[in-house]
Amino acid sequence: MAATLLSLRWTRHLSLWVRPFAMAAIWTGLDGLMGLIWFPIPFHWGSLLFDWTPGIQIADLTGIWGVTYVAVFCNACLACAWQVGWRQGWRILAVGLGLGSLILGYGWLRMDQISTALHQESPPSYVVGAVQQVGWLEPDRSWPYRAERYRDLFNLSRAATLAGAELVIWPEGALRAQFTGTQLEPYILDPMAQLLSPTASLLLGATEPDPRTRALPDQDQRFINSALLYSAAGSRLDQFGKQWIFPYFESARYVPSADGYRPLQGRELGRLGVMICLESVLPRPSYALVQAGAQVLITIADDSWFGNSHWPMLHGNLSIFRAIE
């Protein structure tokens, strides 16, 4: 609302042909500023979003900002035409419609090229079972409550495996505890070995200690928000530690891992570029993972603390842009 009002006010003295371009630049610039300062959380990387796939393919050339700019520009043309009247404003309205048509044309062409390439190259494919139980935030921290949540994960994983899943993905922090080297490891991996097919894999979120602080007193210990990849036999194939730490909520306990952004080696699954939670909101992590050889981008997240709001939907929509870019 503030960006709209400011763009209308700051451009009111400009000519009809300049004003829509200026309004879109101001709106997108303010939105970009919010993203750069990550206020209040970094969900402003192009907050004017829609999921009409042909209309957002331009992001592969311009990033998410190009989609925001075009959307605002088309709306600004409509607003300017309405203000000056249709007799004078139809020309600027035609410019907006023309630009929008070009963007859609590019999107349909690119999607057709992608579809053709996929059919010609016959890339390896596999079935993914994304398991995300609802309401994981703990009303209590007792073992019976946690055991019930684990049973939910087992049951959902069984359904995914019966549907043919070769990669089962549990969410960020699914275990809410350290996993490797604890009694929780066989508690989880032994039942999953019975569920998964011999060639399948399990990717799960856990809290792992930072080896750099292992020798420090307990109060100085730090942890890494981690993604662990296991084979069906229970052997750990690889792990990734979150790099971008959410201020306030994570920074008191978590630190980035020392490995940087690198894809997990998933054997038959290829190189898996995993992002944890809000890393998928920022363009840099996915770019770094692809540059490091990632063939697949995966986001594991726990959005239950957002409650019944629009943030989980926006989080998912932003992840689409990471794939397009």
Side-chain angles (χ1 to χ4, degrees):
M1 177 67 73
T4 301
L5 292 175
L6 287 173
S7 63
L8 285 169
R9 180 173 180 81
W10 290 349
T11 63
R12 65 187 186 278
H13 298 304
L14 298 177
S15 70
L16 177 65
W17 293 103
V18 175
R19 194 179 186 195
F21 293 95
M23 289 175 66
I26 292 171
W27 208 103
T28 307
L30 290 170
D31 188 50
L33 178 62
M34 295 286 282
L36 290 173
I37 62 176
W38 296 343
F39 175 81
I41 54 178
F43 269 139
H44 297 276
W45 290 90
S47 62
L48 189 86
L49 298 180
F50 51 93
D51 56 4
W52 191 20
T53 313
I56 63 178
Q57 294 301 314
I58 191 68
D60 77 311
L61 299 176
T62 65
I64 198 171
W65 303 115
V67 178
T68 300
Y69 186 92
V70 170
V72 176
F73 176 79
C74 291
N75 280 280
C77 289
L78 183 63
C80 289
W82 178 78
Q83 283 189 335
V84 300
W86 302 116
R87 189 181 298 273
Q88 292 180 282
W90 69 270
R91 292 183 179 87
I92 193 63
L93 183 61
V95 171
L97 291 173
L99 180 60
S101 298
L102 286 174
I103 298 303
L104 289 176
Y106 174 82
W108 276 312
L109 178 63
R110 183 169 188 265
M111 291 173 63
D112 183 65
Q113 291 174 338
I114 293 171
S115 179
T116 301
L118 289 174
H119 284 92
Q120 290 177 346
E121 297 174 8
S122 300
S125 62
Y126 49 87
V127 179
V128 176
V131 171
Q132 182 91 30
Q133 81 280 46
V134 178
W136 184 213
L137 287 182
E138 300 94 332
D140 67 63
R141 293 181 176 270
S142 66
W143 171 250
Y145 178 81
R146 288 173 181 257
E148 185 179 348
R149 300 286 74 75
Y150 296 146
R151 283 193 293 271
D152 292 340
L153 289 167
F154 290 141
N155 291 333
L156 290 168
S157 298
R158 181 181 293 107
T161 303
L162 291 174
E166 297 161 89
L167 172 62
V168 175
I169 303 176
W170 288 10
E172 170 199 18
L175 304 178
R176 285 297 194 273
Q178 180 182 344
F179 184 60
T180 55
T182 69
Q183 295 180 346
L184 192 57
E185 196 169 19
Y187 180 86
I188 296 295
L189 294 180
D190 289 350
M192 288 303 296
Q194 304 299 316
L195 295 178
L196 298 174
S197 65
T199 58
S201 299
L202 171 67
L203 178 68
L204 55 84
T207 297
E208 296 299 299
D210 181 6
R212 295 166 294 186
T213 64
R214 196 183 302 275
L216 298 178
D218 289 346
Q219 65 270 19
D220 296 324
Q221 290 286 323
R222 291 295 180 265
F223 296 86
I224 297 172
N225 192 347
S226 302
L228 309 177
L229 182 64
Y230 286 88
S231 70
S235 61
R236 189 170 66 186
L237 302 176
D238 210 344
Q239 72 179 76
F240 167 77
K242 189 179 182 186
Q243 299 296 299
W244 184 77
I245 305 302
F246 193 8
Y248 311 115
F249 290 90
E250 288 185 310
S251 57
R253 186 185 189 200
Y254 290 112
V255 294
S257 74
D259 294 341
Y261 285 109
R262 63 169 187 84
L264 301 182
Q265 302 302 317
R267 293 182 180 177
E268 294 85 359
L269 303 176
R271 295 183 294 275
L272 312 178
V274 178
M275 292 169 282
I276 299 178
C277 197
L278 297 182
E279 287 183 311
S280 67
V281 172
L282 310 173
R284 187 178 67 85
S286 56
Y287 178 81
L289 286 166
V290 172
Q291 291 298 304
Q295 299 164 297
V296 179
L297 292 177
I298 297 171
T299 301
I300 62 172
D302 174 16
D303 282 346
S304 63
W305 59 289
F306 285 128
N308 187 25
S309 70
H310 68 289
W311 294 117
M313 179 188 68
L314 184 55
H315 194 175
N317 283 350
L318 284 163
S319 296
I320 298 172
F321 282 87
R322 304 293 80 83
I324 295 173
E325 292 163 353

